[in-house]
Amino acid sequence: MEAAEAEVRLLLQEARESIEAARSYRRELQQRLRGLHQAREQIKQSATLTRDVLEQHFSDLKGTLKKLLDERLLSLLQEVDVIEQESIKPLDECQKLIEHGVSTADDLLREGESAVDGDVGTQNEKLCNFTKKALHIQLDSLPEVPSLVDVPCLSAQLDDCLLTILKNQIFKHGTVASRPPVQLEEFVEKPGGILVRWCKVDDDFIPQDYRLQYRKSSASHFEDVYVGSETEFIVLHIDPNVDYQFRVCARGDGRQEWSPWSVPQMGRTTLVPHEWTTGLEGYSLSSRRNIALRNDSQSCGVLYSKAPTYFCGQTLTFRQTVGQPDRRDSLGVCVEQQNGYDSLQRDKAVCISTNGAVFVNGKEMTNQLPAVTSGSTVTFDMEVVQLGPCSNEGGNFKLRVTISSNNREVVFDWVLDQCCGSLYFGCSFSYPGWKVLVF
């Protein structure tokens, strides 16, 4: 009896496992069906888009060609008009001269006939006058008429070489690619931005430049955001928690035309953008408050971030335009805002001076970085290393800090007496002209 029950339980267990396997198999098949549906939709959508692009391009091309041919025809017709007018003008003048001569000869003939047929008493006087007049007119002088061989004979010189060239170029114009040579690879969230990375997927394709475009999911048109040789780019001014669509293409080495676009992909950031705090007299801010400019005000002090938006595990980047340096200048992060200081070279802060000196809790380190230059970037990376129990009441807390500038870096441990989930950033400059972008 017990053996029978055991056998039943075993069969039930096997049946349950088979049912679960069947469910898993069905889920996998359904997932693959969804994948097939997405692949089919991608083919159809890209084919429709490609048809639209081809039709629009060749329609524009035909319009442009017709316009160019019409312009060339008009130019040639105008050239015919000019040659015709210039060639006929001397003939018209010669015709007028001959017609005038014919009229003069007719008058002279009538006068001569009248003199010959006149009365005897007046005949002598008329004949004398006629003879003088005939001698004055110079009846042996005739205007020269050009022979036909000297007269222009217009003709159009046309051949089929243009058609041959156009035919060869048209038959080679345009290609249809089934796979773009470059694809989007990764999206990394940044405060108020997204780091977009892409990679080459066609081994035979040699890229010269890449072109990255993006748009909000609600927008109808893509816009260029980067053109260059790098394979990653930080797209700034991204609204948090909003979907953006990205695509990338490439231009082959020595080519002018761009490759097909990659498959568009969605990216978003959940991180609010870094902002400088407003109201400090010595600094002017951009409209997005991510750029601070040290102005001509004599007021000095530390310009802090609006909120502690820098979290460990992220990269904080400063890019600056330089002014006159001072040893008290600083760029860095701190646990809290402390008014009354003119630099971050103080307790509970780490920073780099514009001359490259690194300060931890107000003390200068022996290691030093290169001096800050215009257009260069200074980055801060931090990871948490906990020394002792950390609670709401505080405790030993250590951050491993990496500061990089001009392709060099220093790494050190920053020991604090309290837990810090997020940090403020700040800067201070003694002289005007410094401008700092933070992202």
Side-chain angles (χ1 to χ4, degrees), residues 111-354:
E111 187 174 343
E113 290 172 351
S114 175
V116 170
D117 299 334
D119 296 336
V120 176
T122 60
Q123 188 177 24
N124 187 38
E125 183 179 355
K126 288 182 177 180
L127 288 173
C128 289
N129 291 336
F130 171 74
T131 303
K132 291 179 181 179
K133 191 173 184 180
L135 291 173
H136 178 72
I137 293 175
Q138 297 180 347
L139 296 176
D140 58 347
S141 176
L142 295 173
E144 184 176 356
V145 177
S147 62
L148 292 180
V149 295
D150 296 328
V151 175
C153 181
L154 279 70
S155 63
Q157 304 300 313
L158 302 170
D159 54 50
D160 294 334
C161 67
L162 177 61
L163 292 177
T164 303
I165 295 171
L166 285 176
K167 186 185 297 182
N168 293 334
Q169 292 297 322
I170 288 172
F171 285 161
K172 293 187 296 184
H173 182 68
T175 57
V176 176
S178 61
R179 185 179 181 184
V182 60
Q183 292 285 4
L184 294 168
E185 184 179 35
E186 184 182 17
F187 297 101
V188 180
E189 292 187 56
K190 295 291 182 179
I194 300 175
L195 172 62
V196 184
R197 292 193 176 103
W198 54 88
C199 62
K200 184 169 71 76
V201 295
D202 185 349
D203 294 335
D204 297 328
F205 183 79
I206 302 175
Q208 174 180 305
D209 291 306
Y210 297 99
R211 181 183 180 188
L212 178 66
Q213 289 189 337
Y214 84 129
R215 68 180 180 185
K216 274 188 178 183
S217 57
S218 58
S220 58
H221 298 290
F222 283 92
E223 60 181 273
D224 286 339
V225 69
Y226 173 76
V227 175
S229 60
E230 300 295 329
T231 56
E232 65 177 39
F233 183 75
I234 297 180
V235 183
L236 298 176
H237 311 320
I238 295 293
D239 296 328
N241 301 308
V242 174
D243 287 331
Y244 286 81
Q245 198 172 41
F246 296 85
R247 66 182 185 182
V248 67
C249 65
R251 180 162 50 196
D253 189 20
R255 305 296 294 270
Q256 294 297 321
E257 69 276 8
W258 292 98
S259 74
W261 291 105
S262 66
V263 178
Q265 294 189 37
M266 289 291 186
R268 65 158 48 196
T269 181
T270 59
L271 306 176
V272 297
H274 291 318
E275 293 183 11
W276 298 104
T277 190
T278 59
L280 191 61
E281 186 178 347
Y283 295 87
S284 304
L285 306 183
S286 64
S287 59
R288 290 181 175 266
R289 297 183 292 278
N290 61 336
I291 300 176
L293 172 66
R294 182 66 167 93
N295 56 36
D296 296 332
S297 172
Q298 297 299 316
S299 175
C300 61
V302 178
L303 177 66
Y304 292 103
S305 59
K306 180 180 178 181
T309 53
Y310 174 60
F311 295 86
C312 294
Q314 299 176 359
T315 297
L316 179 68
T317 304
F318 299 98
R319 183 176 296 153
Q320 55 281 317
T321 300
V322 301
Q324 181 180 341
D326 186 88
R327 64 182 184 84
R328 296 293 295 169
D329 294 341
S330 61
L331 281 170
V333 297
C334 57
V335 175
E336 58 191 7
Q337 297 179 348
Q338 291 185 9
N339 298 322
Y341 288 90
D342 61 356
S343 174
L344 284 174
Q345 300 171 21
R346 60 167 177 81
D347 189 33
K348 296 185 179 181
V350 295
C351 67
I352 176 176
S353 178
T354 53

Side-chain angles (χ1 to χ4, degrees), residues 3-174:
E5 291 177 354
E7 184 178 357
V8 171
R9 285 196 298 270
L10 180 61
L11 290 172
L12 285 173
Q13 180 64 27
E14 291 177 350
R16 292 190 183 98
E17 291 175 355
S18 297
I19 291 172
E20 186 58 35
R23 287 173 178 166
S24 178
Y25 180 65
R26 183 180 63 181
R27 285 195 299 270
E28 184 66 26
L29 288 176
Q30 290 173 339
Q31 185 175 355
R32 290 173 183 265
L33 280 174
R34 286 193 292 270
L36 286 173
H37 177 72
Q38 291 175 349
R40 182 178 288 106
E41 285 301 312
Q42 178 175 308
I43 293 172
K44 289 183 177 180
Q45 290 177 5
S46 62
T48 300
L49 178 61
T50 302
R51 291 188 191 96
D52 293 342
V53 169
L54 287 172
E55 290 174 356
Q56 184 63 48
H57 175 76
F58 277 86
S59 175
D60 294 343
L61 197 60
K62 285 190 289 185
T64 302
L65 284 174
K66 184 180 184 304
K67 180 181 178 183
L68 292 174
L69 289 172
D70 289 343
E71 290 177 354
R72 181 55 181 166
L73 173 60
L74 179 61
S75 174
L76 291 172
L77 292 175
Q78 290 174 343
E79 189 174 344
V80 171
D81 293 340
V82 170
I83 295 175
E84 180 185 22
Q85 292 171 6
E86 291 179 349
S87 301
I88 288 180
K89 184 177 180 181
L91 299 181
D92 289 341
E93 293 175 352
C94 184
Q95 179 177 341
K96 290 180 180 178
L97 183 61
I98 291 174
E99 289 174 349
H100 177 71
V102 171
S103 176
T104 302
D106 288 341
D107 293 340
L108 188 63
L109 280 172
R110 285 193 295 271
E111 187 174 343
E113 290 172 351
S114 175
V116 170
D117 299 334
D119 296 336
V120 176
T122 60
Q123 188 177 24
N124 187 38
E125 183 179 355
K126 288 182 177 180
L127 288 173
C128 289
N129 291 336
F130 171 74
T131 303
K132 291 179 181 179
K133 191 173 184 180
L135 291 173
H136 178 72
I137 293 175
Q138 297 180 347
L139 296 176
D140 58 347
S141 176
L142 295 173
E144 184 176 356
V145 177
S147 62
L148 292 180
V149 295
D150 296 328
V151 175
C153 181
L154 279 70
S155 63
Q157 304 300 313
L158 302 170
D159 54 50
D160 294 334
C161 67
L162 177 61
L163 292 177
T164 303
I165 295 171
L166 285 176
K167 186 185 297 182
N168 293 334
Q169 292 297 322
I170 288 172
F171 285 161
K172 293 187 296 184
H173 182 68

Side-chain angles (χ1 to χ4, degrees), residues 402-418:
T402 302
I403 306 178
S404 302
S405 177
N406 288 323
N407 297 319
R408 288 183 57 187
E409 65 179 31
V410 293
V411 182
F412 57 91
D413 289 339
W414 182 23
V415 179
L416 299 169
D417 59 1
Q418 63 185 37

